[in-house]
Amino acid sequence: QVHLVESGGDMVQPGRSLRLSCAASGFTFIRYTMHWVRQAPGKGLEWVAMMSFDESDKYYADSVKGRFTISRDNSKNTLYLQMNSLRAEDTAVYYCARENIFDSGISNGLDVWGQGTTVTVSS
Amino acid sequence: SYELTQPPSVSVSPGQTARITCSGHTLPKEHVYWYQQKAGQAPVQVIRKDSERPSGIPERFSGSSSGTTVTLTISGVQAEDEADYYCQSADSSGTCRVFGGGTKLTVL
């Protein structure tokens, strides 16, 4: 079965750092573009970052650019999100999701999601 | 930053048809994807590439597009369809992803 399992969420003080992990199983991880999406309490989904299957491309939302870093270890089937200089507004459930982008550039969208890990930034 | 616009809420009675719209200036050239999120759960994709239904999604879910607006249609709405629905596409560069603000579907 296809699974994504996030971990690493915690309660931290503003200005501190945290690293999230997303362990993939049941599919060929190296073939997929991977994303982080977050959802603040009572709010909608917000796209955070993405990394291509071969690590050649990575993009970030303006709200996290310069503070967050997405990475992956294809040998461990794991996606990461390094979050620095955390702010109260980064408080959210963080989901990882996969995307299959074909050679044509056409995508099937974010077709598998994890259950999320909770990050709380508070003093 | 680029935004997709959805109505905050839609209400229908069981058996009726629900239509949820999503508007954005890149939609004529970028595909749209729809996700259903029930309370306390992770999102689930219900429509991909504007109108395709992924495996396992009931036939009552369909998608269509016209210019800068796409529509998620749920025919014969059931109580279990009550959820938040989000559209998603790409920005004008085609790289960064963007979500609509979400629409809460209430089944009366």
Side-chain angles (χ1 to χ4, degrees):
Chain A
Q1 277 201 349
V2 175
H3 278 304
L4 295 171
V5 179
E6 302 92 339
S7 61
D10 203 349
M11 178 180 288
V12 296
Q13 294 179 328
R16 303 298 291 264
S17 298
L18 202 60
R19 189 176 84 154
L20 305 182
S21 300
C22 169
S25 61
F27 65 98
T28 306
F29 182 70
I30 196 170
R31 292 183 181 174
Y32 288 82
T33 290
M34 297 299 296
H35 298 260
W36 287 100
V37 177
R38 69 185 181 183
Q39 187 169 35
K43 303 296 184 182
L45 300 175
E46 180 189 13
W47 176 80
V48 173
M50 64 182 281
M51 173 169 268
S52 61
F53 69 98
D54 60 358
E55 306 178 52
S56 62
D57 295 313
K58 55 177 83 170
Y59 302 102
Y60 299 92
D62 289 343
S63 58
V64 306
K65 201 173 295 183
R67 300 187 300 122
F68 290 12
T69 302
I70 189 171
S71 63
R72 63 193 293 166
D73 186 337
N74 287 336
S75 69
K76 295 182 179 179
N77 290 346
T78 303
L79 177 74
Y80 302 100
L81 185 67
Q82 177 67 42
M83 304 186 294
N84 298 332
S85 303
L86 282 162
R87 307 167 179 168
E89 54 265 36
D90 296 318
T91 294
V93 174
Y94 285 73
Y95 297 100
C96 66
R98 76 172 195 183
E99 179 182 22
N100 191 4
I101 302 178
F102 300 100
D103 290 342
S104 61
I106 300 297
S107 162
N108 270 347
L110 281 61
D111 66 341
V112 176
W113 296 63
Q115 285 303 305
T117 188
T118 301
V119 173
T120 303
V121 184
S122 174
S123 54
Chain B
S1 60
Y2 181 54
E3 294 181 352
L4 297 175
T5 301
Q6 296 181 235
S9 62
V10 168
S11 300
V12 296
S13 298
Q16 289 189 329
T17 296
R19 294 181 179 85
I20 300 172
T21 58
C22 172
S23 299
H25 70 265
T26 67
L27 298 191
K29 72 177 183 70
E30 294 290 344
H31 284 302
V32 170
Y33 307 82
W34 288 95
Y35 304 89
Q36 174 194 68
Q37 186 181 34
K38 296 182 178 179
Q41 299 182 20
V44 172
Q45 188 183 72
V46 294
I47 291 291
R48 64 189 185 198
K49 291 182 281 188
D50 298 336
S51 59
E52 285 186 16
R53 200 172 48 251
S55 173
I57 301 302
E59 290 185 6
R60 63 181 181 273
F61 288 86
S62 64
S64 61
S65 65
S66 178
T68 58
T69 299
V70 295
T71 301
L72 171 69
T73 300
I74 311 172
S75 305
V77 166
Q78 300 182 6
E80 66 195 51
D81 299 330
E82 187 163 282
D84 294 323
Y85 291 85
Y86 296 89
C87 61
Q88 175 254 309
S89 188
D91 67 1
S92 55
S93 70
T95 53
C96 295
R97 305 301 188 253
V98 60
F99 286 91
T103 298
K104 181 176 182 59
L105 175 65
T106 299
V107 182
L108 301 171

